[in-house]
Amino acid sequence: MSASLPPPSSETIVVEELRVLDRRRLRRLLLLAFALAAVLVLLAPLTATDQADSLGVPQLVDRSQIRILTTVAMFVVMASAWNLVGGLTGYSSFGNVAFFGLGAYTCAVAVDAHRLHLPMAVAIALAPLVPAAFAALVGLPLLRLRGHYFAIATLGTAVAVGEVVKNIDYLGGATGLFPPILHRADLLFLYLMVGAALLAVLVSRLILRSRFGYGLIAIRENEEAAGVIGVNTTAYKVGAFAVAAALTGLAGGVFALWNSFINQELGFSLDFNIQMILMAVLGGAGTLFGPVLGAVALELLIQNLAGRSDVAVYAQIGLGLLLAVTVIFLPRGIVAFFGGGSRLSLTHLRRSLRETSV
Amino acid sequence: MMGGSTRFTGVVGLAAVLALACGGAAGGGTAATTTGEDLVIGAPMSLTGSQSKEGALAKQGYDMWLQWINQQGGINVKSVKHKVQLKYEDDTSKPDISAQLAQKLITEEKAQFLLGPYGSATTASDAVVAEKNSIPMVEGNGAAQAIFNQGYKYVFGVLSPANVYLTGVLDMAATLKPKPATVAMLAADDNFSQEVAKAVLDYAPSKGFQVVYSDKYPNGSTNLSGLVANAKARNADIVLNSGHLQEAIAIHKAAKDLKLDAKLSAYSVGPSTPDFIVALGKDANYVLDGSQWTPQVKSTASFYLASQDYVAAYKKQFNTQDDPDYHVAESTAACLALQKAIENAGSLKPDKVRDALAALNVSTFFGQIRFDSRGINTFKPMVVEQIQDGKHHTVWPANVADAAPQYPTPSWSGR
Amino acid sequence: MQLFVQQVVLGLLIGGVYVAVAIGFSLVWGILNIVNLAHGALVIVGAYLTWLLFARARVDPFIALPIVAVVLFAFGYALQRALINRVIRAPLFFTLLLTFGVNLVIVNALLVIFKSDFRSVTPSYSGSGFGVAGVQVPYIRLAALGVAGLVAAAVGWLLNRTRTGAAIQAVGADRDAARLVGIDLRHVYALTFAVAAACAGVAGGLISTIQAITPTAGEPYTLQAFVVVVLGGLGRVGATVVGGLVFGLVETLGQTMVPGLGAGWANAIAFAILVLVLIVRPQGLMGRIA
């Protein structure tokens, strides 16, 4: 099917090598630029503290923007976590929000004065554990399913867990739980969430470069072959699932404390569910920074459009179209453009379309 | 020693005051007021999304007050009038978005006070933001008591809490002859509906009713025939539902399908809206609901419009023949409470207004507005309405009713 | 005892609606290997079309059904041919995302056109029915069951007794082999989706007579269709019929007849069943291994 090309001349090889070097340098520069921007953005909220005031430093970000940043960080955690299961391992879970909710409720129950009444730090430490245990438990049977079955089974699990939680009075029932309000704690929660985001990226990086990560990718590419060459597919899959659950649960726990209110609708929000998947895919599933990019881009977009009733319905239509376009034309996500993976050229688009169409 | 001179001074003093008052009134009452800066009030509201219909009604309530107060020149704070700018943000009926928008309204749009959103979950989320920013929030559309059990200091609800929504129906039923004996309670599983249901289950036995069937269904269910069949099999005389419009319609249709001949049917949400009658036509007759307010409720308006004037103003402002339903009225009441508190405090400082709210005790077209120590209005009673011949009538309590309850409801085959 | 029979009757009647909803979904999944997350949206489009014809042109809903079927057929054909055909060979997950995007667009377009008001179709005979030994059987629901049966029979006839049906089944069995024998894949795919959309539209028409509709009312039906197909088994029309009726029965009886378990657990039960079946017997009650 492929015509054989003439062997490359020496000049072509040199030019190609130079191009590769340039691309790598470009990629490094871009990474540096993003890192710098991120550091500035993350330090800026410190200008809102009293100490900054007394030093005469002008306030660069207000409370509303700090809130937005916290939300963005939350989605970075969730998208990166989803990426571990959906992007690396190839098991697209449509139910990760279950872990968010479990983490949130764990934290809320832990700090509640009428329930466990534990200190906040302990509650946050518990937040990843319960979802991880749950993931290990249900992961064993669920991860035996593939493709559509796995997707819908995880969706069903998330909905079912939400419904069960709603029916249990100890967990607040239909009313929900109200973790006590912490005053003047905006920055605390921002940096907690950012910390979780950094943790998520760090964990992803560690996994990507480890044997565990290669095993997951092998499972994604060809699970039978992976098993044959000695990868313990069950252990690896469940492991990835549990790690993703822990990270997502951590985000949920911090959210519950920050929001001072959690109920089934918030904790098991189908909106959050689809958003974390979208962000990972839009950004670039299977890559390290793809989910980060996707989370930042999409969440900022959502926040910018929020509040305007004339736009609301059209924003949703736009989201649907964005999905369609991403899936058809941009299957590798935005991050593929940074780093020479693919180029925005007509031939390239045509080729990728031909690969996926009937 | 009290004598003629003191009395003379008293008379002169009184005359002077009277003269000033007349002069002031003749001059339009603004003899000594100036205009100050606009007052910005923020309102996150469900303009789109699952609660958009109710959100639209709440917005109407806010807009009615807005138009009126600005016609008066604004809120009077120690003789300085401040016109009101009411800034809305659409939270698309999502609690997390509502909280973000509440913060945005405070921080970026400089709202000095907040009016509540629609619905208990959104109100709960926004309450946290109000509390964290020490900005008073007055709401009229989130009746779940849980919000008010958290010890918040800056959140006030002008409406009667969820637990009294349907107890009035039971009070009324207890006076009817022959007295119905059994109750069935079908409730949606959201927190507001559950609070309503729990109150009914606790209250019914004390009024001599036996609860023969009680169940909850997932919020938004459309297939409720099974539950209705159960209620019929247990011979429920009174069928109660706390849920939402769509479910009320589904239950009523199922009752007709299955020939459930209840002597009384009361739904907490639904019958008060025009949509209910539009959807069910003649089948909607005889249905009762618990309401925060009806146009017939006799109340004393110490300021703002009286009930009948309110109804007329509503029809004029929104160009409609429909009466305002209670969602509109309770929203206007929230605005009135905030206004009165600001006037009483004589200040726009959040803490002073908050204290004035806590001490507020005023009667309006909506009824008495006064907050208990938790911040919710337990001083205003609920009323019961019934749809009779396609029109709403207030049937309970007797001192505000404009019609007698039609009881018992004739059987389906007999209509 | 009478209550039990009443609940069984109600369960079967609502099961008929579930069958109608699930037939199209099962077809698309079985032949195209697509789980169509926009299926509920197509159902609701059918419901709105029925309502439009009823409210504006006074067409009886049951008479409107063929019209709705034709319109949805055309719409489904276009949708598949223009859009979904482009990702058939992509990882499964992308088709899920694409259909989810389509769902968003359709539902929100409906919101723009119809707003979120609830509409219902109430012909003069709604609410009436007949009673047998105290058990009520409403006419509309009985008719819905009948129509569902007709739809199932029609699809079964199409698949098993026509050349088009044979082509569809061939494509479902082995896409590349089908192409080698000269079957136009793009056309057959679009045709299959079109038939499924038509079925969804008819189901929507039935639903509009039973409950109030609003643009977002289709979401639960997608998930329910999934449960029905998983319960019954992917593959044959008969399996879907069994799945739908069983699901209707389980839902109604489970909600109301099991002491201690209220209707509040309905969704949790449905999904627990779903997950259990998927794990224990993935081919469903009647299907072959999918």
Side-chain angles (χ1 to χ4, degrees):
Chain A
M1 207 156 100
S2 55
S4 56
L5 301 159
S9 69
S10 44
E11 287 120 4
T12 331
I13 296 176
V14 169
V15 168
E16 280 300 318
E17 278 189 2
L18 280 176
R19 273 215 198 105
V20 169
L21 273 174
D22 261 343
R23 229 177 271 156
R24 234 180 250 158
R25 192 180 293 169
L26 182 65
R27 189 167 174 210
R28 250 182 225 142
L29 273 173
L30 274 171
L31 214 61
L32 205 61
F34 274 128
L36 208 61
V39 167
L40 281 175
V41 163
L42 290 176
L43 287 181
L46 287 173
T47 59
T49 57
D50 295 331
Q51 289 87 333
D53 255 349
S54 55
L55 287 174
V57 178
Q59 181 171 344
L60 291 174
V61 279
D62 62 37
R63 282 187 92 159
S64 178
Q65 289 162 332
I66 293 178
R67 241 200 115 96
I68 294 179
L69 282 174
T70 314
T71 311
V72 169
M74 183 173 88
F75 277 105
V76 168
V77 179
M78 295 208 279
S80 297
W82 184 89
N83 188 35
L84 293 174
V85 183
L88 285 192
T89 321
Y91 274 74
S92 21
S93 160
F94 268 63
N96 271 24
V97 78
F99 308 132
F100 181 84
L102 283 172
Y105 269 90
T106 304
C107 238
V109 166
V111 298
D112 193 290
H114 301 293
R115 290 167 175 79
L116 295 180
H117 204 34
L118 297 167
M120 193 172 113
V122 176
I124 294 184
L126 282 176
L129 299 180
V130 170
F134 179 73
L137 200 64
V138 297
L140 278 168
L142 281 183
L143 286 160
R144 290 197 295 167
L145 304 167
R146 305 273 187 96
H148 291 142
Y149 291 105
F150 178 72
I152 302 287
T154 47
L155 178 62
T157 310
V159 175
V161 172
E163 295 274 328
V164 166
V165 161
K166 200 182 197 180
N167 277 301
I168 299 182
D169 278 332
Y170 186 73
L171 299 176
T175 309
L177 294 172
F178 293 80
I181 293 182
L182 274 180
H183 288 277
R184 314 183 64 81
D186 284 358
L187 288 182
L188 170 66
F189 285 114
L190 169 66
Y191 289 124
L192 269 175
M193 206 59 100
V194 168
L198 285 172
L199 181 67
V201 175
L202 201 66
V203 167
S204 299
R205 189 166 190 273
L206 282 172
I207 290 182
L208 264 170
R209 304 221 169 178
S210 71
R211 198 163 134 183
F212 181 49
Y214 287 128
L216 293 178
I217 296 176
I219 293 177
R220 176 185 77 200
E221 298 301 320
N222 188 332
E223 190 160 345
E224 277 75 24
V228 163
I229 62 169
V231 172
N232 184 344
T233 53
T234 311
Y236 274 43
K237 284 189 293 190
V238 175
F241 207 45
V243 172
L247 288 169
T248 313
L250 180 60
V254 176
F255 174 80
L257 297 177
W258 172 53
N259 202 45
S260 293
F261 171 58
I262 188 75
N263 70 352
Q264 181 235 5
E265 184 188 349
L266 277 171
F268 297 90
S269 156
L270 288 177
D271 276 350
F272 286 4
N273 200 22
I274 198 68
Q275 272 165 24
M276 72 175 99
I277 299 176
L278 253 179
M279 289 164 177
V281 172
L282 189 64
T287 67
L288 178 60
F289 290 114
V292 178
L293 215 59
V296 172
L298 198 58
E299 189 57 27
L300 287 178
L301 184 65
I302 291 175
Q303 289 293 345
N304 251 297
L305 292 174
R308 300 175 44 193
S309 58
D310 49 338
V311 173
V313 168
Y314 298 103
Q316 291 278 51
I317 294 184
L319 192 65
L321 290 173
L322 179 67
L323 250 176
V325 164
T326 308
V327 158
I328 295 178
F329 295 114
L330 227 58
R332 303 251 286 284
I334 308 177
V335 85
F337 292 130
F338 304 102
S342 63
R343 275 154 286 139
L344 188 63
S345 69
L346 214 53
T347 30
H348 211 83
L349 286 173
R350 270 207 208 112
R351 196 187 309 158
S352 91
L353 259 180
R354 228 176 293 142
E355 279 170 24
T356 55
S357 308
V358 74
Chain B
M1 180 173 127
M2 282 291 237
S5 62
T6 322
R7 200 176 298 159
F8 178 69
T9 323
V11 170
V12 169
L14 188 57
V17 167
L18 278 172
L20 259 174
C22 290
T30 53
T33 60
T34 54
T35 312
E37 263 182 19
D38 279 0
L39 172 63
V40 179
I41 302 182
M45 185 50 72
S46 308
L47 300 174
T48 60
S50 56
Q51 298 176 145
S52 58
K53 291 236 74 182
E54 297 90 334
L57 291 172
K59 180 170 186 288
Q60 282 182 336
Y62 291 166
D63 286 341
M64 282 202 69
W65 173 78
L66 182 67
Q67 194 184 68
W68 177 85
I69 193 71
N70 283 338
Q71 262 169 13
Q72 310 294 315
I75 300 187
N76 192 335
V77 182
K78 283 219 174 92
S79 303
V80 180
K81 287 212 166 178
H82 300 266
K83 281 201 147 188
V84 175
Q85 274 186 50
L86 189 46
K87 297 197 174 167
Y88 292 104
E89 292 278 1
D90 179 13
D91 66 15
T92 65
S93 313
K94 304 254 160 77
D96 53 307
I97 307 226
S98 204
Q100 175 67 45
L101 291 171
Q103 183 67 62
K104 178 178 170 198
L105 280 163
I106 294 174
T107 317
E108 299 188 1
E109 304 193 60
K110 311 285 178 231
Q112 290 160 273
F113 302 100
L114 287 180
L115 287 171
Y118 181 83
S120 291
T122 32
T123 305
S125 290
D126 293 356
V128 171
V129 176
E131 220 28 45
K132 282 189 183 174
N133 286 271
S134 302
I135 297 270
M137 178 170 96
V138 187
E139 62 102 2
N141 290 286
Q145 289 196 101
I147 302 172
F148 296 96
N149 289 337
Q150 302 306 319
Y152 296 152
K153 304 220 304 289
Y154 287 84
V155 183
F156 296 90
V158 299
L159 68 180
S160 306
N163 63 333
V164 294
Y165 261 67
L166 287 178
T167 49
V169 173
L170 292 177
D171 285 334
M172 181 190 86
T175 66
L176 298 170
K177 299 195 177 9
K179 183 176 166 192
T182 54
V183 171
M185 177 78 235
L186 307 173
D189 65 358
D190 65 285
N191 72 335
F192 164 76
S193 307
Q194 284 298 301
E195 279 192 26
V196 174
K198 184 166 180 309
V200 163
L201 295 176
D202 290 340
Y203 191 63
S206 70
K207 288 306 231 182
F209 297 110
Q210 187 201 4
V211 177
V212 291
Y213 180 58
S214 152
D215 205 354
K216 64 177 168 178
Y217 53 84
N219 203 354
S221 294
T222 49
N223 181 23
L224 296 165
S225 319
L227 286 92
V228 174
N230 268 4
K232 179 182 171 187
R234 296 188 209 188
N235 296 314
D237 292 328
I238 307 179
V239 171
L240 299 174
N241 163 253
S242 70
H244 311 89
L245 172 65
Q246 187 193 10
E247 300 144 29
I249 294 177
I251 290 180
H252 207 61
K253 276 189 167 180
K256 182 176 178 185
D257 277 348
L258 296 171
K259 306 281 177 282
L260 164 59
D261 294 320
K263 300 210 179 81
L264 282 178
S265 302
Y267 308 142
S268 69
V269 174
S272 67
T273 66
D275 286 354
F276 188 78
I277 303 183
V278 167
L280 292 170
K282 292 215 304 280
D283 294 338
N285 285 334
Y286 304 101
V287 173
L288 298 148
D289 76 281
S291 175
Q292 297 275 358
W293 171 89
T294 62
Q296 294 82 22
V297 162
K298 296 189 187 68
S299 51
T300 333
S302 65
F303 71 110
Y304 188 66
L305 306 168
S307 281
Q308 290 312 312
D309 300 324
Y310 182 73
V311 173
Y314 175 81
K315 290 182 174 169
K316 181 159 174 235
Q317 184 166 344
F318 297 104
N319 199 9
T320 173
Q321 283 309 305
D322 294 326
D323 284 345
D325 101 329
Y326 70 81
H327 295 101
V328 183
E330 61 195 13
S331 308
T332 307
C335 304
L336 295 178
L338 183 60
Q339 175 200 342
K340 205 34 130 158
I342 293 176
E343 289 174 4
N344 287 355
S347 157
L348 290 175
K349 291 217 160 72
D351 285 335
K352 292 221 160 69
V353 173
R354 180 234 100 81
D355 290 338
L357 278 166
L360 192 68
N361 187 356
V362 67
S363 68
T364 66
F365 80 99
F366 185 66
Q368 185 185 8
I369 300 184
R370 184 178 164 191
F371 307 107
D372 72 359
S373 59
R374 301 172 302 165
I376 185 127
N377 185 357
T378 48
F379 297 88
K380 177 193 78 63
M382 294 279 286
V383 296
V384 179
E385 336 174 77
Q386 186 174 38
I387 298 176
Q388 300 177 345
D389 287 322
K391 295 226 175 313
H392 292 104
H393 288 276
T394 309
V395 295
W396 180 267
N399 61 329
V400 298
D402 75 314
Q406 286 175 341
Y407 171 82
T409 307
S411 70
W412 287 106
S413 39
R415 293 197 210 186
Chain C
M1 187 56 201
Q2 182 188 330
L3 175 63
F4 180 73
V5 175
Q6 176 76 76
Q7 300 286 27
V8 167
V9 167
L10 285 176
L12 287 173
L13 290 177
I14 199 73
V17 175
Y18 293 152
V19 168
V21 171
I23 290 248
F25 190 79
S26 170
L27 193 63
V28 167
W29 188 355
I31 305 292
L32 276 61
N33 201 20
I34 293 178
V35 168
N36 180 14
L37 293 178
H39 189 75
L42 293 174
V43 168
I44 282 297
V45 169
Y48 267 102
L49 268 173
T50 314
W51 173 80
L52 259 179
L53 289 169
F54 178 75
R56 306 268 181 265
R58 247 150 309 163
V59 179
D60 179 273
F62 288 95
I63 301 193
L65 292 180
I67 308 175
V68 171
V70 168
V71 172
L72 263 299
F73 183 91
F75 182 61
Y77 191 92
L79 191 59
Q80 177 71 32
R81 191 95 196 219
L83 216 58
I84 308 182
N85 265 354
R86 307 217 180 272
V87 294
I88 294 273
R89 284 198 217 263
L92 287 178
F93 164 59
F94 284 142
T95 59
L96 276 174
L97 283 186
L98 179 62
T99 53
F100 184 81
V102 169
N103 182 51
L104 270 180
V105 174
I106 295 181
V107 168
N108 283 283
L110 284 175
L111 272 172
V112 170
I113 304 173
F114 293 104
K115 308 278 181 290
S116 59
D117 299 344
F118 284 100
R119 325 263 182 192
S120 62
V121 174
T122 15
S124 51
Y125 47 86
S126 65
S128 42
F130 61 92
V132 174
V135 172
Q136 292 295 321
V137 181
Y139 284 137
I140 286 204
R141 289 185 188 247
L142 193 59
L145 180 63
V147 170
L150 277 172
V151 168
V155 172
W157 175 82
L158 171 76
L159 284 179
N160 294 316
R161 304 237 188 252
T162 65
R163 275 190 66 156
T164 319
I168 292 178
Q169 293 208 52
V171 164
D174 189 333
R175 149 172 86 200
D176 296 308
R179 193 208 282 141
L180 283 175
V181 300
I183 294 180
D184 179 353
L185 281 185
R186 284 192 212 151
H187 172 66
V188 170
Y189 271 11
L191 209 58
T192 314
F193 197 85
V195 169
C199 293
V202 169
L206 295 176
I207 284 169
S208 71
T209 61
I210 294 178
Q211 64 163 88
I213 55 168
T214 186
T216 49
E219 325 265 294
Y221 287 106
T222 308
L223 242 19
Q224 277 166 0
F226 194 92
V227 178
V228 167
V229 169
V230 165
L231 248 187
L234 195 59
R236 304 193 303 280
V237 169
T240 313
V241 171
V242 168
L245 292 174
V246 169
F247 184 61
L249 274 172
V250 169
E251 186 191 64
T252 310
L253 290 174
Q255 271 185 29
T256 53
M257 303 297 286
V258 179
L261 209 61
W265 294 86
N267 283 348
I269 297 176
F271 287 112
I273 295 179
L274 170 69
V275 175
L276 262 159
V277 170
L278 275 178
I279 293 170
V280 167
R281 194 184 156 90
Q283 69 269 35
L285 295 170
M286 282 184 58
R288 44 172 204 261
I289 306 272

